[in-house]
Amino acid sequence: MGKNRNLGKVVFFVLAAVSLLPFTSAPVALLLGVFFINIFQTKIERLPEYTKKVLQYSIVGLGFSINLGMAIEAGSKGFLFSVFTIILVFAAGLLLGKMLNIDRKITQLISAGTAICGGSAIAAVSPTINSTNSQNSIALGIVFLLNAFALLIFPYLGMYFGLSQQQFGIWAAIAIHDTSSVVGAASKFGDEALHIATTVKLARALFIIPVVILFSIVYKKETKVRFPLFIAFFILAILLNTYLPFLKNITPYIAEISKAGLKLALFLIGTGLSILNLKSIGPKPFLLAILLWILISSVSLFAVLKFL
């Protein structure tokens, strides 16, 4: 048993190193993680904590390759889409959840994850609505699975519909749940799409704050909402890149390191997609999540094709 565990750890670090290589794409990095956990089933201590840090540091690094003007333009164009789709998904989610007779808290968690930013939104909302670990696990499992699927298919859908870099960046930021899969899909589509998608998605993530406050009012619970500090550092990186010209010599290297870091984060996220864990999820929550995802994907695709 100990030998198998040691072998699993060796393979883990080898695959993690492979995910950093230039020829490894973001979808492949994710699939390497899925392969590892389902073949070796080796748990790595403190992995969620490391995953979160790698993702956040990489996103901050991407800020050094974004100009302030581009960020403002992308954020302003994505703002109205964000407000509309968040309201739409929550309304549709609560209605469909009631029609399908799904547990109310699972419905709220899936709706929050789909409407805003996947696992981060679920983690922020769950203590406010007093959801159980089982309810949280169901919502997170579904969102992570759909994230993986989105990362694989969205770049091809973007090419099929002839989306521009700007259109794809905004569409991915709105229609894909987690920031990690947004930047993974956008990085495969192009650098401009990556910059726009990252900016719009992080601006969208700030909607966690009013949503959590709203839930705390409904559930009559005092909740402290923390501002995501890494977003502030992301904004600072954009400002430094815009107003300190001498950084132009090193920002390309920071960008490349950050892209490699994003692939590593996707590999780590893939190690959380165990088939054994996903088997515990019932068909109705899956159906709800898929319907909401189709709704937000199709509405946002129509919007970017029509108005951008």
Side-chain angles (χ1 to χ4, degrees), residues 90 94 102-113 116 118-140 208-225:
F90 265 106
L94 296 177
I102 298 172
D103 177 87
R104 184 179 62 159
K105 290 182 180 180
I106 291 178
T107 297
Q108 291 169 345
L109 291 171
I110 292 174
S111 299
I116 308 175
S120 299
I122 292 171
V125 168
S126 58
T128 309
I129 67 174
N130 295 317
S131 55
T132 65
N133 286 337
S134 175
Q135 291 166 328
N136 296 339
S137 296
I138 288 172
L140 287 168
I208 290 177
I209 296 172
V211 167
V212 170
I213 291 172
L214 182 61
F215 272 120
S216 67
I217 293 171
V218 171
Y219 281 84
K220 298 178 180 178
K221 182 174 180 180
E222 291 186 9
T223 303
K224 292 183 179 180
V225 187

Side-chain angles (χ1 to χ4, degrees), residues 29-50:
L30 181 76
L31 291 175
L32 287 174
V34 176
F35 166 80
F36 167 78
I37 194 60
N38 286 288
I39 297 299
F40 294 92
Q41 298 178 7
T42 302
K43 290 186 178 180
I44 307 297
E45 294 178 2
R46 300 175 66 187
L47 190 60
E49 178 186 342
Y50 295 140

Side-chain angles (χ1 to χ4, degrees), residues 98-170:
K98 193 170 184 179
M99 290 172 61
L100 294 170
N101 196 27
I102 298 172
D103 177 87
R104 184 179 62 159
K105 290 182 180 180
I106 291 178
T107 297
Q108 291 169 345
L109 291 171
I110 292 174
S111 299
T114 307
I116 308 175
C117 56
S120 299
I122 292 171
V125 168
S126 58
T128 309
I129 67 174
N130 295 317
S131 55
T132 65
N133 286 337
S134 175
Q135 291 166 328
N136 296 339
S137 296
I138 288 172
L140 287 168
I142 293 171
V143 164
F144 286 155
L145 183 62
L146 294 181
N147 268 327
F149 189 57
L151 175 59
L152 296 174
I153 68 167
F154 261 60
Y156 299 103
L157 289 175
M159 289 184 282
Y160 176 79
F161 288 108
L163 299 184
S164 67
Q165 292 283 312
Q166 182 189 58
Q167 287 174 323
F168 184 84
I170 292 177

Side-chain angles (χ1 to χ4, degrees), residues 37-72:
I37 194 60
N38 286 288
I39 297 299
F40 294 92
Q41 298 178 7
T42 302
K43 290 186 178 180
I44 307 297
E45 294 178 2
R46 300 175 66 187
L47 190 60
E49 178 186 342
Y50 295 140
T51 303
K52 183 179 179 180
K53 286 183 177 179
V54 170
L55 178 62
Q56 290 180 348
Y57 293 154
S58 300
I59 288 172
V60 171
L62 284 178
F64 285 100
S65 60
I66 299 175
N67 181 274
L68 181 61
M70 177 194 297
I72 292 174

Side-chain angles (χ1 to χ4, degrees), residues 12-299:
F12 172 84
F13 286 110
V14 169
L15 293 179
V18 171
S19 71
L20 291 168
L21 297 175
F23 58 78
T24 303
S25 65
V28 170
L30 181 76
L31 291 175
L32 287 174
V34 176
F35 166 80
F36 167 78
I37 194 60
N38 286 288
I39 297 299
F40 294 92
Q41 298 178 7
T42 302
K43 290 186 178 180
I44 307 297
E45 294 178 2
R46 300 175 66 187
L47 190 60
E49 178 186 342
Y50 295 140
T51 303
K52 183 179 179 180
K53 286 183 177 179
V54 170
L55 178 62
Q56 290 180 348
Y57 293 154
S58 300
I59 288 172
V60 171
L62 284 178
F64 285 100
S65 60
I66 299 175
N67 181 274
L68 181 61
M70 177 194 297
I72 292 174
E73 182 182 0
S76 61
K77 287 185 176 179
F79 180 78
L80 291 178
F81 286 166
S82 293
V83 173
F84 173 74
T85 52
I86 287 171
I87 294 172
L88 176 66
V89 169
F90 265 106
L94 296 177
L95 178 61
L96 288 170
K98 193 170 184 179
M99 290 172 61
L100 294 170
N101 196 27
I102 298 172
D103 177 87
R104 184 179 62 159
K105 290 182 180 180
I106 291 178
T107 297
Q108 291 169 345
L109 291 171
I110 292 174
S111 299
T114 307
I116 308 175
C117 56
S120 299
I122 292 171
V125 168
S126 58
T128 309
I129 67 174
N130 295 317
S131 55
T132 65
N133 286 337
S134 175
Q135 291 166 328
N136 296 339
S137 296
I138 288 172
L140 287 168
I142 293 171
V143 164
F144 286 155
L145 183 62
L146 294 181
N147 268 327
F149 189 57
L151 175 59
L152 296 174
I153 68 167
F154 261 60
Y156 299 103
L157 289 175
M159 289 184 282
Y160 176 79
F161 288 108
L163 299 184
S164 67
Q165 292 283 312
Q166 182 189 58
Q167 287 174 323
F168 184 84
I170 292 177
W171 182 49
I174 293 173
I176 301 178
H177 305 75
D178 265 341
T179 304
S180 55
S181 291
V182 169
V183 296
S187 66
K188 186 170 177 59
F189 200 80
D191 284 346
E192 184 182 348
L194 172 62
H195 297 157
I196 292 171
T198 305
T199 304
V200 174
K201 190 62 177 180
L202 293 184
R204 187 180 180 85
L206 295 178
F207 283 94
I208 290 177
I209 296 172
V211 167
V212 170
I213 291 172
L214 182 61
F215 272 120
S216 67
I217 293 171
V218 171
Y219 281 84
K220 298 178 180 178
K221 182 174 180 180
E222 291 186 9
T223 303
K224 292 183 179 180
V225 187
R226 293 183 178 180
F227 179 84
L229 192 58
F230 81 97
I231 296 181
F233 284 113
F234 173 75
I235 295 170
L236 177 61
I238 292 174
L239 292 173
L240 291 174
N241 180 59
T242 304
Y243 294 109
L244 297 180
F246 66 87
L247 289 178
K248 299 295 183 183
N249 295 325
I250 61 172
T251 50
Y253 300 104
I254 298 176
E256 288 305 312
I257 293 171
S258 300
K259 289 177 186 177
L262 289 171
K263 292 190 295 181
L264 176 59
L266 287 167
F267 165 75
L268 298 177
I269 288 168
T271 63
L273 291 171
S274 168
I275 293 174
L276 293 176
N277 293 337
L278 294 174
K279 281 183 178 179
S280 63
I281 301 171
K284 285 187 177 180
F286 254 127
L287 178 59
L288 171 64
I290 290 170
L291 289 174
L292 290 180
W293 191 39
I294 291 173
L295 174 66
I296 194 172
S297 298
S298 56
V299 168

